[in-house]
Amino acid sequence: MLDIKDFSIFENQASFDFKGFLMKIAGYWKWFLLSLIISFTIAYQVNIRKEKIYAMETLISVKEENNPLFTSTTSLVFNWGGISDQVQTISTTLQSRSHNELVVENLQFYIDYLVQGKYNLTDAYGAVPFYVTIDKTKGQLAGGLIGIKFINESEYEIRIPFEQNSVSILTYSDNSYATTAVAEGEFVKRYKVGQQVSLPFLNWKLQIKDAPGFYKGNEYFVRFNDFNGTVSGYKGINVRSDDKGSSIITLGMQGTNKARMVTYLNATVKMLIKRQLDSKNQFATNTIAFIDSTLVSMESQLKETGNELKTFRKDKNIYDIEEGGAKFSDKILEFDVQKDELTRKVAYYNSLKAYLRNSVDYAKLPAPSVAGIEDPNIVTNVSKLIALSTQRSEMAYAVKSDKIFKDFDNQMAAIKNVLLENIASAKSSLQYDLAMVTNKINQAEGSIKKLPDDQQELIKIKRKYDLSDNIYSTFLQKRSEADIVKAANLSDIHFIDPAKDVGGGLVGPKTSVNYVMALFLGLLFPLLFVFAMFFINNSIQNVEDINKLTKIPLIGVVGLLKESSDLAVFDKPKSALSESFRAIRSSLQFLYKKQDVEGAKTLMITSSVGGEGKTFCSINIATVFALSEKKTVIVGMDLRKPKLFDEFNLKNDLGVVNYLIKQKTIEEITNPTQIPYLDVILSGPVPPNPSELIISDSMGEFIEELKKKYDYIILDTPPVGLVSDALELSQFSDVSLYIVRQNYSKKEMITLLNNRIKRGELNNVSIILNGFQNKAKYGAGYGYGGGYGYYDTGGYGNGYHEVETKKTFLSTLVKRFKK
């Protein structure tokens, strides 16, 4: 039972006995022990069912690698943005959706390979003896377990339990879902290893790995997961870099399967290296594509002029003709080459200017070197623009911050403005040079017109041929240069320590944490329960409750009855419970003496409601008077719900009712008991008008006759909170005892008692606290003084009271069986 003193921390006290508080809480140790057993059992079951968690890492470095074939005349440069920018870009890329989609697709990690563990299915990637190749254009069973059992080395059985008549299928080519009809129940079918499986819900080939080991008779499971869900799981890869700007990056993963993590960590770095090289080669790739398209047109033009020259030489003395115009031919070719170079530069600038003004994606810009432009400002700024554009497109899949994109856009806008100014300046210079070369060509052409017609025609044809041949050779050289640069490019990302399973790496589960949580919760829940019971419990708990609610004196505290019989004093006269009733007897004698009651003394015992122990207290108070050789009688005045007869194994055929209706005399209704000097008068048959009988004149005559025969008259009455019978009987009693039972009687009943006393309905009332248990044992045996009596000595009464041996479960069971 709860004791409000156990929560004295909530009372307004000058000091708080913390040690006492802990000892009182410890009184409920059984609750705490049960809660701890349950919580630790749950923690243990959770721990043994949890799969082991491992951590794997790979270490890479970021170092800006310059192409060893770059020269002062090689302008195919890719600027990644510097080491610090690379580290940030790589960290973002590794966690981006687009990057992890490529890795998951490459490894087909949306397929789970499972085996049945002791408690649940476990990831068996790398340990199963087979793998499946799927047709991505056809549907696969989505999310369901596909059981695979090997009948022999070359034959296996598929088992799929279908709980409904339709299932969801997933097509990985476009990651779309659909449904297909199936037969409800278990699907079972056998296939050969390597045989194509073509079902509405499954399309694969199962292949055995090299050196698979023994697998005959073993059972495995395959599951097809959602592609996007799988990618989301791997986006959480842990990427760490030194805060001081170091170029070392650590990639880490945690999971239950070390082989899967090792494969993924190494694959994601390899995919990153490939993508970074592709980005680094973007300049060269763009340039090669531009040169290839130019070479196609130049090749046809060169072939056309070659045929024209061949036709002209036919049937002519070509040597005489060439000798006369050789000096003019070489000179004008030089001017034509210069003009072509200047024209190509101007054309590139015009094209670049239009591209800058009209486009937003600059990743496909060709290198300025294809037009022979070596201006470092132009080359560097175009390189930066391509780098920023590529980086921005990469981050579009991983970063959702508008501020970052605005920063990129601002940087690219600034570079565009600088480029446009550089273009304007370079074009004005080129226009001047182009005018000078054109003037020289005009002068040379004027001199050529003075030559014979055959020489003029030859120079004209040869001029076109030599120019085309020169341009073609130049582009071939640049294409070769671009191929070499592309092949010689090095990635900026290097493995330091690839991921590898070298044993260890166990990081979970955190069993100690679970046990600490179990300890905490195992103590918290019963504590909260105790506090909750305290706040919602409105029943009397202890002496302090009574003292706070009323000024009616408390003359005794009776402990909890642990026997089946209510004759506690008679059965065990030396017990602590018996001593508490003797203390009540002493207090009653003091009250009688104080009121100058002479002769026979009457005592009325009542309570608020039934079940508070009126009859129990009546019997034992009467017993202690009888044991002191005082003639005592217990009168069962509860005419509505009699109970007294049961305690003495009597029949309730005759009693007070028979006397009050003038049927029987007192001698005829009086029953002797096994206790010397103690008689009992039962209530008798239940009457239809109990209240009228009690207020009749016969009741007064009845009490007067009893006073002539007995020293003490104990009236066992009905509850005063339910009926008015006890109020009518109070006029016949010298003292009224009001029984309050711990953790049963409600506090508001004390308030009703106060009101009755104020109205004079009850007089000379004292209170007894019944059924008291002080679980905390703190202060046990101290007593309350003033005849409160002994309720629990807690060891201080050794030698004074009868020692009560605890009954075993077996003895209690035997006793109940005998009953």
Coordinates of all heavy atoms in Angstrom, one line a residue, residues 149-209:
K149 N 16.3 -23.1 -53.5 CA 16.9 -24.3 -52.9 C 17.5 -25.2 -54.0 O 16.9 -25.5 -55.0 CB 15.8 -25.1 -52.2 CG 16.4 -26.3 -51.4 CD 15.3 -26.9 -50.5 CE 15.9 -28.0 -49.7 NZ 14.9 -28.7 -48.8
F150 N 18.8 -25.5 -53.8 CA 19.5 -26.3 -54.8 C 19.3 -27.7 -54.6 O 19.6 -28.3 -53.5 CB 21.0 -26.0 -54.7 CG 21.4 -24.6 -55.3 CD1 21.5 -23.5 -54.4 CD2 21.6 -24.5 -56.6 CE1 21.8 -22.3 -55.0 CE2 22.0 -23.3 -57.2 CZ 22.1 -22.2 -56.3
I151 N 18.6 -28.3 -55.6 CA 18.3 -29.8 -55.6 C 19.6 -30.6 -55.8 O 19.9 -31.6 -55.1 CB 17.3 -30.1 -56.6 CG1 16.1 -29.2 -56.5 CG2 16.9 -31.6 -56.5 CD1 15.4 -29.2 -55.2
N152 N 20.4 -30.1 -56.7 CA 21.8 -30.6 -56.9 C 22.6 -29.5 -57.5 O 22.2 -28.3 -57.5 CB 21.7 -31.9 -57.8 CG 20.9 -31.6 -59.1 OD1 21.2 -30.6 -59.8 ND2 20.0 -32.4 -59.4
E153 N 23.8 -29.9 -57.9 CA 24.8 -28.8 -58.4 C 24.3 -28.1 -59.6 O 24.8 -27.0 -59.9 CB 26.1 -29.4 -58.6 CG 26.9 -29.8 -57.4 CD 26.4 -31.1 -56.7 OE1 25.5 -31.7 -57.3 OE2 27.0 -31.4 -55.7
S154 N 23.4 -28.6 -60.4 CA 23.0 -28.0 -61.6 C 21.5 -27.7 -61.7 O 21.0 -27.3 -62.8 CB 23.4 -28.9 -62.8 OG 22.8 -30.2 -62.7
E155 N 20.8 -27.9 -60.6 CA 19.3 -27.7 -60.7 C 18.9 -27.1 -59.4 O 19.4 -27.4 -58.3 CB 18.6 -29.1 -60.8 CG 17.1 -28.9 -61.1 CD 16.5 -30.3 -61.4 OE1 17.1 -31.3 -61.1 OE2 15.3 -30.3 -61.8
Y156 N 18.0 -26.1 -59.5 CA 17.5 -25.4 -58.3 C 16.0 -25.3 -58.4 O 15.4 -25.4 -59.4 CB 18.2 -24.0 -58.1 CG 17.8 -23.0 -59.2 CD1 16.8 -22.1 -59.0 CD2 18.5 -23.0 -60.4 CE1 16.5 -21.2 -60.0 CE2 18.2 -22.1 -61.4 CZ 17.2 -21.2 -61.2 OH 16.9 -20.3 -62.1
E157 N 15.4 -25.0 -57.2 CA 13.9 -24.9 -57.1 C 13.6 -23.5 -56.6 O 14.2 -23.0 -55.6 CB 13.4 -25.9 -56.1 CG 11.9 -26.0 -56.0 CD 11.5 -27.1 -55.1 OE1 11.6 -26.9 -53.9 OE2 11.0 -28.1 -55.6
I158 N 12.6 -22.9 -57.3 CA 12.1 -21.5 -56.9 C 10.9 -21.7 -56.1 O 10.0 -22.5 -56.5 CB 11.9 -20.6 -58.1 CG1 13.2 -20.3 -58.8 CG2 11.1 -19.4 -57.7 CD1 13.0 -19.5 -60.1
R159 N 10.8 -21.0 -54.9 CA 9.6 -21.1 -54.0 C 9.2 -19.6 -53.7 O 10.0 -18.9 -53.2 CB 9.8 -21.8 -52.7 CG 10.0 -23.3 -52.9 CD 10.2 -24.0 -51.6 NE 10.2 -25.5 -51.8 CZ 9.1 -26.2 -51.7 NH1 7.9 -25.7 -51.4 NH2 9.1 -27.5 -51.8
I160 N 8.0 -19.3 -54.1 CA 7.4 -17.9 -53.8 C 6.0 -18.1 -53.2 O 5.1 -18.6 -53.9 CB 7.4 -17.1 -55.1 CG1 8.7 -17.0 -55.8 CG2 7.0 -15.6 -54.7 CD1 8.7 -16.3 -57.1
P161 N 5.8 -17.6 -51.9 CA 4.5 -17.7 -51.4 C 3.7 -16.5 -51.8 O 4.1 -15.3 -51.5 CB 4.8 -17.7 -49.9 CG 6.1 -17.0 -49.7 CD 6.9 -17.3 -51.0
F162 N 2.6 -16.7 -52.5 CA 1.7 -15.6 -52.9 C 0.5 -15.6 -52.0 O -0.3 -16.5 -51.9 CB 1.2 -15.8 -54.3 CG 2.4 -15.6 -55.3 CD1 2.6 -16.6 -56.3 CD2 3.1 -14.5 -55.4 CE1 3.7 -16.5 -57.2 CE2 4.1 -14.3 -56.3 CZ 4.4 -15.3 -57.2
E163 N 0.3 -14.5 -51.2 CA -0.8 -14.3 -50.3 C -2.0 -13.7 -51.0 O -3.1 -13.8 -50.4 CB -0.4 -13.5 -49.1 CG 0.8 -14.1 -48.3 CD 1.2 -13.2 -47.1 OE1 0.6 -12.1 -47.0 OE2 2.0 -13.7 -46.3
Q164 N -1.8 -13.1 -52.1 CA -3.0 -12.6 -52.9 C -2.9 -13.0 -54.3 O -1.9 -13.7 -54.7 CB -2.9 -11.0 -52.8 CG -3.0 -10.5 -51.4 CD -2.9 -9.0 -51.4 OE1 -2.5 -8.3 -52.3 NE2 -3.2 -8.4 -50.2
N165 N -3.9 -12.7 -55.1 CA -4.0 -13.1 -56.4 C -3.3 -12.2 -57.4 O -3.5 -12.3 -58.6 CB -5.4 -13.4 -56.9 CG -6.3 -12.2 -56.6 OD1 -5.8 -11.1 -56.4 ND2 -7.6 -12.5 -56.7
S166 N -2.6 -11.2 -56.9 CA -1.9 -10.2 -57.7 C -0.7 -9.7 -57.0 O -0.7 -9.7 -55.7 CB -2.7 -9.0 -58.2 OG -3.1 -8.2 -57.1
V167 N 0.4 -9.4 -57.7 CA 1.6 -9.0 -57.1 C 2.2 -7.8 -57.9 O 1.8 -7.5 -59.1 CB 2.7 -10.1 -57.1 CG1 2.4 -11.2 -56.1 CG2 3.0 -10.6 -58.5
S168 N 3.0 -7.0 -57.2 CA 3.6 -5.8 -57.9 C 4.9 -6.2 -58.5 O 5.7 -7.0 -57.9 CB 3.9 -4.7 -56.8 OG 4.5 -3.6 -57.4
I169 N 5.2 -5.8 -59.7 CA 6.4 -6.1 -60.4 C 7.1 -4.8 -60.8 O 6.5 -3.7 -60.9 CB 6.2 -6.9 -61.7 CG1 5.2 -6.2 -62.7 CG2 5.7 -8.3 -61.4 CD1 5.1 -6.9 -64.0
L170 N 8.4 -4.8 -60.8 CA 9.3 -3.7 -61.0 C 10.2 -3.9 -62.3 O 10.8 -4.9 -62.4 CB 10.2 -3.4 -59.8 CG 11.2 -2.4 -59.8 CD1 10.6 -1.0 -60.1 CD2 12.0 -2.4 -58.5
T171 N 10.1 -2.9 -63.2 CA 11.0 -2.9 -64.4 C 12.1 -1.9 -64.2 O 11.9 -0.7 -64.1 CB 10.2 -2.5 -65.6 OG1 9.0 -3.4 -65.7 CG2 11.0 -2.7 -66.9
Y172 N 13.4 -2.4 -64.2 CA 14.5 -1.5 -63.8 C 15.0 -0.6 -65.0 O 15.7 0.3 -64.7 CB 15.7 -2.4 -63.3 CG 15.4 -2.9 -61.9 CD1 15.2 -4.2 -61.7 CD2 15.5 -2.0 -60.8 CE1 14.9 -4.7 -60.4 CE2 15.3 -2.5 -59.5 CZ 15.0 -3.8 -59.3 OH 14.8 -4.3 -58.0
S173 N 14.5 -0.9 -66.2 CA 14.9 -0.1 -67.3 C 14.4 1.4 -67.1 O 15.1 2.3 -67.5 CB 14.5 -0.7 -68.6 OG 13.1 -0.8 -68.6
D174 N 13.2 1.5 -66.6 CA 12.6 2.8 -66.4 C 12.1 3.0 -64.9 O 11.4 4.0 -64.6 CB 11.5 3.1 -67.3 CG 10.4 2.0 -67.3 OD1 10.5 1.1 -66.5 OD2 9.5 2.1 -68.0
N175 N 12.5 2.0 -64.0 CA 12.0 2.0 -62.6 C 10.5 2.2 -62.5 O 10.1 3.0 -61.7 CB 12.8 3.1 -61.9 CG 14.3 2.8 -61.8 OD1 14.7 1.7 -61.6 ND2 15.1 3.8 -62.0
S176 N 9.8 1.5 -63.3 CA 8.3 1.6 -63.2 C 7.7 0.4 -62.6 O 8.3 -0.7 -62.6 CB 7.8 1.8 -64.6 OG 8.1 0.6 -65.4
Y177 N 6.5 0.6 -62.0 CA 5.8 -0.5 -61.3 C 4.6 -0.8 -62.1 O 4.0 0.0 -62.7 CB 5.4 0.0 -59.9 CG 6.6 -0.1 -58.9 CD1 7.4 1.0 -58.7 CD2 6.8 -1.2 -58.1 CE1 8.4 1.0 -57.8 CE2 7.9 -1.2 -57.2 CZ 8.7 -0.1 -57.0 OH 9.7 -0.1 -56.1
A178 N 4.2 -2.1 -61.9 CA 3.0 -2.6 -62.5 C 2.5 -3.8 -61.7 O 3.2 -4.2 -60.7 CB 3.2 -3.0 -64.0
T179 N 1.4 -4.3 -62.0 CA 0.9 -5.5 -61.3 C 0.6 -6.6 -62.3 O 0.3 -6.4 -63.5 CB -0.4 -5.2 -60.5 OG1 -1.4 -4.7 -61.4 CG2 -0.2 -4.2 -59.4
T180 N 0.7 -7.8 -61.8 CA 0.4 -9.0 -62.6 C -0.4 -10.0 -61.8 O -0.2 -10.1 -60.6 CB 1.7 -9.6 -63.2 OG1 1.3 -10.6 -64.1 CG2 2.5 -10.2 -62.1
A181 N -1.2 -10.8 -62.4 CA -2.0 -11.8 -61.8 C -1.2 -13.0 -61.5 O -0.4 -13.4 -62.3 CB -3.3 -12.1 -62.6
V182 N -1.4 -13.6 -60.3 CA -0.8 -14.9 -59.9 C -1.8 -15.8 -59.3 O -2.9 -15.3 -58.9 CB 0.4 -14.6 -59.0 CG1 1.5 -13.8 -59.6 CG2 -0.1 -13.9 -57.7
A183 N -1.4 -17.0 -59.1 CA -2.3 -18.0 -58.4 C -2.0 -17.9 -56.9 O -0.8 -18.1 -56.5 CB -2.1 -19.4 -58.9
E184 N -3.0 -17.7 -56.1 CA -2.8 -17.6 -54.7 C -2.3 -18.9 -54.1 O -2.8 -20.0 -54.5 CB -4.1 -17.2 -54.0 CG -3.9 -16.7 -52.5 CD -5.2 -16.1 -52.0 OE1 -6.1 -15.8 -52.8 OE2 -5.3 -16.0 -50.8
G185 N -1.3 -18.8 -53.2 CA -0.7 -20.0 -52.7 C 0.8 -20.0 -52.9 O 1.4 -19.0 -53.3
E186 N 1.5 -21.1 -52.8 CA 2.9 -21.2 -53.0 C 3.3 -21.6 -54.4 O 2.9 -22.7 -54.8 CB 3.6 -22.1 -51.9 CG 5.1 -22.1 -52.0 CD 5.8 -22.9 -50.9 OE1 5.3 -24.1 -50.7 OE2 6.7 -22.5 -50.3
F187 N 4.1 -20.8 -55.1 CA 4.6 -21.1 -56.4 C 5.9 -21.9 -56.3 O 6.8 -21.5 -55.6 CB 4.8 -19.8 -57.2 CG 5.4 -20.1 -58.5 CD1 4.7 -20.4 -59.6 CD2 6.8 -20.0 -58.7 CE1 5.3 -20.6 -60.9 CE2 7.4 -20.2 -59.9 CZ 6.7 -20.5 -61.0
V188 N 5.9 -23.1 -56.9 CA 7.1 -23.9 -56.8 C 7.5 -24.4 -58.3 O 6.6 -24.9 -59.0 CB 6.9 -25.1 -55.9 CG1 8.2 -26.0 -55.9 CG2 6.5 -24.7 -54.5
K189 N 8.7 -24.2 -58.7 CA 9.1 -24.7 -60.0 C 10.6 -24.9 -60.0 O 11.4 -24.1 -59.4 CB 8.7 -23.6 -61.1 CG 8.8 -24.2 -62.5 CD 8.1 -23.3 -63.5 CE 8.1 -23.9 -64.9 NZ 7.4 -23.0 -65.8
R190 N 11.1 -25.9 -60.8 CA 12.5 -26.2 -60.9 C 13.1 -25.7 -62.2 O 12.4 -25.7 -63.2 CB 12.7 -27.7 -60.8 CG 12.4 -28.2 -59.4 CD 12.8 -29.7 -59.3 NE 12.5 -30.2 -58.0 CZ 12.9 -31.5 -57.6 NH1 13.5 -32.3 -58.5 NH2 12.6 -31.9 -56.4
Y191 N 14.4 -25.3 -62.1 CA 15.1 -24.8 -63.3 C 16.5 -25.3 -63.3 O 17.0 -25.6 -62.2 CB 15.1 -23.3 -63.3 CG 13.7 -22.6 -63.7 CD1 12.9 -22.2 -62.6 CD2 13.3 -22.4 -65.0 CE1 11.7 -21.7 -62.9 CE2 12.1 -21.8 -65.3 CZ 11.3 -21.5 -64.2 OH 10.1 -20.9 -64.5
K192 N 17.1 -25.4 -64.5 CA 18.5 -25.7 -64.6 C 19.3 -24.4 -64.3 O 18.9 -23.3 -64.7 CB 18.8 -26.2 -66.0 CG 18.2 -27.5 -66.3 CD 18.8 -28.7 -65.5 CE 18.2 -30.0 -66.0 NZ 18.8 -31.2 -65.2
V193 N 20.5 -24.6 -63.8 CA 21.4 -23.4 -63.6 C 21.8 -22.9 -65.0 O 22.1 -23.7 -65.9 CB 22.7 -23.9 -62.9 CG1 23.8 -22.8 -62.9 CG2 22.4 -24.2 -61.4
G194 N 21.7 -21.6 -65.2 CA 21.9 -21.0 -66.5 C 20.7 -20.9 -67.4 O 20.8 -20.3 -68.5
Q195 N 19.7 -21.6 -67.0 CA 18.4 -21.6 -67.9 C 17.7 -20.2 -67.7 O 17.6 -19.7 -66.6 CB 17.5 -22.7 -67.5 CG 16.2 -22.8 -68.3 CD 15.3 -23.9 -67.8 OE1 15.7 -24.7 -66.9 NE2 14.1 -24.0 -68.3
Q196 N 17.2 -19.7 -68.8 CA 16.4 -18.5 -68.8 C 15.1 -18.7 -68.1 O 14.3 -19.6 -68.5 CB 16.2 -17.9 -70.2 CG 15.4 -16.7 -70.3 CD 16.1 -15.5 -69.6 OE1 17.3 -15.3 -69.9 NE2 15.4 -14.7 -68.8
V197 N 14.8 -17.9 -67.1 CA 13.6 -18.0 -66.4 C 12.7 -16.8 -66.9 O 13.1 -15.6 -66.8 CB 13.7 -17.8 -64.8 CG1 12.4 -17.8 -64.2 CG2 14.6 -18.9 -64.3
S198 N 11.6 -17.2 -67.5 CA 10.7 -16.2 -68.1 C 9.3 -16.4 -67.6 O 8.5 -17.2 -68.0 CB 10.7 -16.3 -69.7 OG 12.0 -16.0 -70.2
L199 N 9.0 -15.6 -66.5 CA 7.7 -15.7 -65.9 C 7.1 -14.3 -65.9 O 7.9 -13.3 -66.0 CB 7.8 -16.2 -64.4 CG 8.4 -17.6 -64.3 CD1 8.7 -17.9 -62.8 CD2 7.3 -18.6 -64.8
P200 N 5.8 -14.1 -65.7 CA 5.2 -12.8 -65.6 C 5.8 -11.9 -64.5 O 5.8 -10.7 -64.6 CB 3.7 -13.0 -65.4 CG 3.5 -14.4 -65.9 CD 4.8 -15.2 -65.6
F201 N 6.4 -12.6 -63.5 CA 6.9 -11.8 -62.3 C 8.3 -12.1 -62.1 O 8.9 -11.6 -61.1 CB 6.1 -12.2 -61.1 CG 5.9 -13.7 -60.9 CD1 6.9 -14.5 -60.3 CD2 4.8 -14.4 -61.4 CE1 6.8 -15.8 -60.2 CE2 4.6 -15.7 -61.3 CZ 5.7 -16.5 -60.7
L202 N 9.0 -12.8 -63.0 CA 10.4 -13.1 -62.8 C 11.1 -13.3 -64.1 O 10.7 -14.2 -64.9 CB 10.6 -14.3 -61.8 CG 12.0 -14.6 -61.3 CD1 12.5 -13.4 -60.5 CD2 12.0 -15.8 -60.5
N203 N 12.2 -12.6 -64.4 CA 13.0 -12.8 -65.6 C 14.5 -12.7 -65.3 O 15.0 -11.7 -65.1 CB 12.6 -11.8 -66.6 CG 11.1 -11.9 -67.1 OD1 10.8 -12.6 -68.0 ND2 10.3 -11.2 -66.4
W204 N 15.1 -13.9 -65.2 CA 16.5 -13.9 -64.9 C 17.2 -15.2 -65.4 O 16.6 -16.1 -65.8 CB 16.8 -13.7 -63.4 CG 16.5 -15.0 -62.5 CD1 16.5 -16.3 -62.9 CD2 16.2 -14.9 -61.1 NE1 16.3 -17.1 -61.8 CE2 16.1 -16.3 -60.7 CE3 16.1 -14.0 -60.2 CZ2 15.8 -16.6 -59.4 CZ3 15.8 -14.3 -58.9 CH2 15.6 -15.6 -58.5
K205 N 18.5 -15.2 -65.2 CA 19.3 -16.4 -65.4 C 20.2 -16.5 -64.1 O 20.8 -15.6 -63.7 CB 20.3 -16.3 -66.6 CG 19.6 -16.6 -67.9 CD 20.7 -16.6 -69.0 CE 20.0 -16.8 -70.4 NZ 21.1 -16.8 -71.5
L206 N 20.1 -17.7 -63.5 CA 20.9 -17.9 -62.3 C 22.2 -18.6 -62.7 O 22.2 -19.7 -63.4 CB 20.1 -18.8 -61.3 CG 20.8 -19.0 -59.9 CD1 19.7 -19.0 -58.8 CD2 21.6 -20.3 -59.9
Q207 N 23.4 -18.0 -62.3 CA 24.7 -18.6 -62.7 C 25.4 -18.9 -61.4 O 25.3 -18.2 -60.4 CB 25.5 -17.6 -63.5 CG 24.8 -17.0 -64.8 CD 24.7 -18.1 -65.9 OE1 25.3 -19.2 -65.8 NE2 24.0 -17.7 -67.0
I208 N 26.2 -20.0 -61.5 CA 27.1 -20.4 -60.3 C 28.4 -19.6 -60.4 O 29.0 -19.5 -61.5 CB 27.3 -21.9 -60.3 CG1 25.9 -22.6 -60.1 CG2 28.2 -22.3 -59.2 CD1 25.2 -22.3 -58.9
K209 N 28.9 -19.1 -59.3 CA 30.2 -18.5 -59.3 C 31.3 -19.5 -59.4 O 31.1 -20.7 -59.2 CB 30.3 -17.7 -57.9 CG 29.4 -16.5 -57.8 CD 29.6 -15.9 -56.4 CE 28.7 -14.7 -56.2 NZ 29.0 -14.1 -54.8

